[in-house]
Amino acid sequence: MTESTLTTATPKVTITSDFWNKYRQLIVKEVLPYQWAVMNDEADINIADEKGGDNPDSKNSHAVANLKIAAGQMKGHHFGFPFQDTDVYKWLEAAAYSFSYQANPDLKTVTDNLIDLIADAQEDDGYLSTFFQIDAPERKFKRLQQSHELYTMGHYIEAGVAYHQATGNEKALTIALKMADCIDANFGPQDGKLHAADGHPEIELALSKLFEVTHEQRYLDLAHYFLVNRGVDPDFYDRQLEADGFDNDIIPGMHGVTHSYYQVDQPLLTQKDAKGHAVRVVYLCTGMAHVARLTGDKDLQAACDRLWDSIVHRRMYVTGGIGSTNVGEAFTYDYDLPNETMYAETCASVGLTFFAKQMLQNEAKGEFGDIIEKELFNGALSGISLDGKHFFYVNPLTADPKFQQNPSKAHIMSRRQDWFGCACCPSNIARLVSSIDQYVYTVTDDAILSHQFIANQAKFDQGLEIDQTSNFPWDNHVHYAVKNPNGVQTKLGIRIPSWSRSNFTLVVDGAEQTRPVQNGFIYLDITGDLTVELTLDFSIRELQTNPAVSSDAGKVAIQRGPMVYCAEQADNSADLWNYRVAADADLTYHFDADLLNGVGEITAKAAVRKTPATTDLYADYQPTTWQPTDLTLVPYYAWANRADGQMRVWLNKENA
């Protein structure tokens, strides 16, 4: 038999994980129908302002109606944000991914009809952004700082590519091609074109995906141009604002934001720190990492490395959340990670997952897989309720219903909402969960990287198959069965998570082995069939922050395996700030199949502060007395699915 080498073709992955299949079926049965009803103004809901204020229309999204008006099928004005169309596009992308694991003829009829509607709404030159088509045609590309035109079309391009790949629908791809051609006709280094990019990055990663499908070099060149030109001429946007009318905002008040808010204060290739709007940063970085790989641009990759380091090592919450302030939904400065005024938008966690995936395709580094795991099981997953019909925009590390009475904290909600006026998050988490099969393996020139412990059956080219079985994230045993009938010669790289790197066992074909961890992976040669048993360290850990993080001094966070835990008022008497974890916490774990759709809960030995009954606001100091008690913790992703109340991730610690 002649040995052959595996190519980097995308494997066919069938998810068998009980944990994730519950969510993937939830997407099909509940999430997609619910979101479609909301966007068609057919659901009995309350739409909240994502920052805690009042929403102009508390019942209707109008997202589909805007497309119908642009297509001439309805009369009326545009409603909502200029990027309202993207709610529909991300929903369409989620539906496309769902077809890979659940045939659904009724849904496909809906999505095919939606493609027809989008095609009818698109102008002959490929332009499609319903706000400008309906209410401001004379302002197309005239206010890029806030228009979101390329952002909006980029989201459709992603959806159109996914839908074409899932169904073979040619019209879906044609719409995307016409959009890209329209953008290429108006933007670029040539004379007569606009030498700038959208204020909200997104088109860069969309054009990269379109290039991979079409191999049309113009699309990759344009994505590269948007990146290397970003920040070269920050004043371009100010000149546009002046020409369009400085106070003539599309989004009220946005003309006053700083250049760093949308990453144009200096050339992208010189930026060292993650600054400004968190979602914009990670979308920009996702496109940059993708283009860096496709073009071999080392300067772009170096910029990715710097921004990754800034985000992950100095500006990220323990749950994977990013964005330290509600003012601009933004990063602030190193180690500024407040818990009561933070933002940690769901879209930002989803975007950081995208960024990590691209980085892992560029370099076999386990840290990238660590962050994908952290987001999937914590920061991103928290954004959707267990019933699939309620959502968080902000994912705090401490919450209290009383925060709604404080304007500086009102963006931190203790209950997930039906929908939002700015509804970017619900369909974003839906498209991530429905595409989870794309986040399990990365195939490089010389290895298959198994970086997520999500039970699956995978088929690679030339007949190689991997069956990964486990009860992860509740159980620490992972089994691999590799079938290699054609003698494909490659390596299997298995990520050893950072939380288990000092303690794991590896059994290969029945024999325990010791292998070095190389950049977060252990590597095994594949030449024939192979069985692997990996046992990870699921010891319950008490984490503390870098001393520079003032918000969490004297506190600990509890983690088991990939899961970060939190205390909820549903399990513990208020007020949670009066608890402290004992010096010897004696942490115990128990899986409860009847709790929160089945979760592992942790009990910690603790004490609760006994406070004297008084009506005095201030009194003379008295030594604190403590009453021993138990503190019950549940996985962070599952909080706020029961009675309303307080929640805390960072807990006071005795003798800390």
Side-chain angles (χ1 to χ4, degrees):
M1 180 180 299
T2 302
E3 291 181 347
S4 55
T5 302
L6 200 71
T7 72
T8 56
T10 302
K12 168 63 177 176
V13 178
T14 300
I15 300 298
T16 57
S17 161
D18 288 342
F19 181 91
W20 284 108
N21 274 340
K22 286 180 182 178
Y23 273 100
R24 282 158 72 82
Q25 287 303 312
L26 187 72
I27 296 294
V28 172
K29 295 178 180 179
E30 302 292 343
V31 177
L32 292 173
Y34 172 79
Q35 294 189 0
W36 182 243
V38 170
M39 292 185 298
N40 279 275
D41 306 328
E42 297 169 351
D44 183 14
I45 59 170
N46 289 308
I47 298 180
D49 187 290
E50 69 282 0
K51 295 180 177 63
D54 295 328
N55 196 60
D57 187 330
S58 63
K59 289 294 181 184
N60 298 302
S61 157
H62 303 285
V64 174
N66 288 334
L67 286 164
K68 290 181 177 179
I69 295 169
Q73 298 178 13
M74 287 178 59
K75 299 289 186 182
H77 287 282
H78 182 276
F79 179 88
F81 287 95
F83 49 83
Q84 204 89 340
D85 304 352
T86 64
D87 299 349
V88 181
Y89 301 156
K90 283 181 282 188
W91 177 90
L92 175 63
E93 187 178 349
Y97 295 139
S98 77
F99 293 144
S100 71
Y101 64 90
Q102 182 68 63
N104 193 332
D106 291 340
L107 178 61
K108 187 173 181 299
T109 297
V110 171
T111 52
D112 282 346
N113 289 339
L114 176 58
I115 292 295
D116 290 340
L117 171 61
I118 295 169
D120 288 344
Q122 187 175 35
E123 296 186 351
D124 291 341
D125 67 352
Y127 184 92
L128 178 49
S129 181
T130 61
F131 168 77
F132 292 94
Q133 291 171 265
I134 296 169
D135 287 343
E138 74 286 353
R139 298 178 70 188
K140 293 176 183 176
F141 302 139
K142 296 292 179 60
R143 205 177 187 89
L144 292 171
Q145 182 226 37
Q146 56 192 259
S147 71
H148 290 73
E149 290 161 277
L150 275 59
Y151 168 87
T152 298
M153 287 191 273
H155 270 304
Y156 176 80
I157 290 171
E158 285 195 88
V161 167
Y163 197 75
H164 176 261
Q165 291 175 323
T167 68
N169 187 303
E170 291 294 335
K171 184 181 289 187
L173 185 60
T174 298
I175 296 168
L177 295 173
K178 289 177 64 177
M179 282 183 181
D181 290 343
C182 173
I183 297 168
D184 184 51
N186 285 277
F187 292 83
Q190 297 86 0
D191 291 342
K193 292 186 178 183
L194 291 164
H195 305 320
D198 199 301
H200 197 311
E202 207 286 339
I203 188 61
E204 300 84 358
L205 68 94
L207 288 172
S208 300
K209 289 185 176 182
L210 189 61
F211 166 77
E212 288 190 313
V213 171
T214 64
H215 305 292
E216 175 55 64
Q217 187 65 36
R218 286 185 299 117
Y219 302 150
L220 180 58
D221 291 344
L222 185 57
H224 186 267
Y225 173 76
F226 282 142
L227 292 164
V228 299
N229 189 62
R230 193 173 194 89
V232 171
D233 181 16
D235 295 337
F236 171 90
Y237 302 90
D238 298 331
R239 295 194 298 272
Q240 275 206 323
L241 291 175
E242 183 177 3
D244 191 47
F246 192 70
D247 294 323
N248 191 23
D249 281 331
I250 297 169
I251 300 176
M254 193 174 171
H255 66 265
V257 300
T258 63
H259 289 153
S260 63
Y261 170 83
Y262 50 105
Q263 299 80 50
V264 298
D265 58 315
Q266 64 187 89
L268 179 58
L269 294 181
T270 68
Q271 294 186 23
K272 297 179 180 179
D273 296 311
K275 297 178 292 185
H277 187 260
V279 177
R280 296 173 194 243
V281 171
V282 288
Y283 276 19
L284 179 64
C285 289
T286 300
M288 183 161 56
H290 201 161
V291 172
R293 181 173 68 259
L294 294 174
T295 62
D297 189 323
K298 294 181 180 180
D299 291 333
L300 281 181
Q301 184 60 51
C304 288
D305 294 339
R306 289 193 301 272
L307 291 172
W308 175 271
D309 181 64
S310 173
I311 294 168
V312 171
H313 297 147
R314 298 187 297 280
R315 301 188 177 191
M316 182 184 72
Y317 286 89
V318 69
T319 56
I322 53 174
S324 301
T325 175
N326 68 308
V327 180
E329 307 172 355
F331 293 102
T332 52
Y333 55 89
D334 287 351
Y335 306 111
D336 181 41
L337 296 168
N339 297 313
E340 292 194 346
T341 54
M342 64 181 292
Y343 213 70
E345 182 181 339
T346 297
C347 281
S349 284
V350 171
L352 185 52
T353 312
F354 296 161
F355 182 24
K357 180 176 184 285
Q358 292 298 328
M359 290 291 278
L360 189 51
Q361 289 182 269
N362 292 1
E363 181 184 3
K365 186 176 180 181
E367 182 177 78
F368 303 136
D370 288 348
I371 297 304
I372 293 174
E373 178 184 82
K374 182 180 287 289
E375 298 295 3
L376 291 182
F377 289 103
N378 300 282
L381 195 58
S382 172
I384 187 169
S385 64
L386 297 179
D387 70 3
K389 298 178 181 179
H390 299 86
F391 307 92
F392 274 141
Y393 196 101
V394 175
N395 294 272
L397 269 67
T398 187
D400 191 320
K402 293 179 181 178
F403 285 1
Q404 292 300 300
Q405 301 174 47
N406 183 335
S408 68
K409 299 179 183 178
H411 62 287
I412 293 183
M413 300 178 185
S414 55
R415 305 298 294 168
R416 292 178 183 83
Q417 304 298 304
D418 296 345
W419 203 251
F420 300 99
C422 175
C424 50
C425 296
S427 51
N428 222 359
I429 186 63
R431 67 173 177 154
L432 177 62
V433 173
S434 62
S435 63
I436 202 75
D437 53 298
Q438 300 178 25
Y439 291 82
V440 180
Y441 298 100
T442 295
V443 181
T444 69
D445 290 337
D446 59 356
I448 297 170
L449 302 179
S450 173
H451 54 84
Q452 299 305 313
F453 303 113
I454 297 174
N456 70 90
Q457 295 173 340
K459 296 182 179 180
F460 300 81
D461 64 354
Q462 301 181 36
L464 191 146
E465 297 182 7
I466 296 179
D467 188 358
Q468 181 192 147
T469 56
S470 73
N471 190 31
F472 199 85
W474 311 121
D475 187 83
N476 62 336
H477 299 285
V478 183
H479 173 80
Y480 291 86
V482 180
K483 294 182 179 179
N484 189 12
N486 297 321
V488 174
Q489 189 173 64
T490 188
K491 293 181 183 293
L492 175 63
I494 301 175
R495 179 178 61 91
I496 305 300
S498 58
W499 44 262
S500 186
R501 205 150 292 162
S502 62
N503 184 22
F504 65 94
T505 60
L506 179 71
V507 176
V508 181
D509 288 337
E512 186 169 340
Q513 296 190 9
T514 301
R515 295 291 178 101
V517 179
Q518 304 174 44
N519 229 352
F521 287 90
I522 56 170
Y523 288 92
L524 305 171
D525 291 324
I526 296 179
T527 56
D529 294 351
L530 189 70
T531 62
V532 181
E533 300 285 347
L534 177 67
T535 303
L536 299 168
D537 184 359
F538 265 36
S539 301
I540 303 171
R541 305 168 64 208
E542 296 180 71
L543 306 178
Q544 64 182 22
T545 64
N546 185 295
V549 181
S550 61
S551 301
D552 299 323
K555 294 181 172 62
V556 293
I558 307 301
Q559 181 171 336
R560 179 181 183 269
M563 294 289 195
V564 175
Y565 277 70
C566 66
E568 276 197 278
Q569 192 173 336
D571 302 305
N572 309 282
S573 300
D575 292 309
L576 294 179
W577 57 82
N578 283 323
Y579 286 84
R580 72 179 186 188
V581 177
D584 180 6
D586 190 23
L587 299 158
T588 58
Y589 172 82
H590 168 69
F591 185 82
D592 188 339
D594 297 322
L595 177 66
L596 297 167
N597 288 354
V599 298
E601 64 178 5
I602 291 174
T603 302
K605 292 299 181 184
V608 62
R609 181 183 287 109
K610 295 183 67 176
T611 55
T614 179
T615 58
D616 294 336
L617 181 60
Y618 303 105
D620 292 334
Y621 170 77
Q622 297 181 29
T624 300
T625 58
W626 296 90
Q627 178 178 328
T629 189
D630 288 336
L631 189 64
T632 299
L633 308 168
V634 297
Y636 173 77
Y637 81 87
W639 84 278
N641 280 284
R642 296 175 290 173
D644 196 5
Q646 298 169 5
M647 180 277 296
R648 286 203 163 201
V649 169
W650 287 101
L651 307 167
N652 298 322
K653 173 70 175 179
E654 182 183 5
N655 296 337

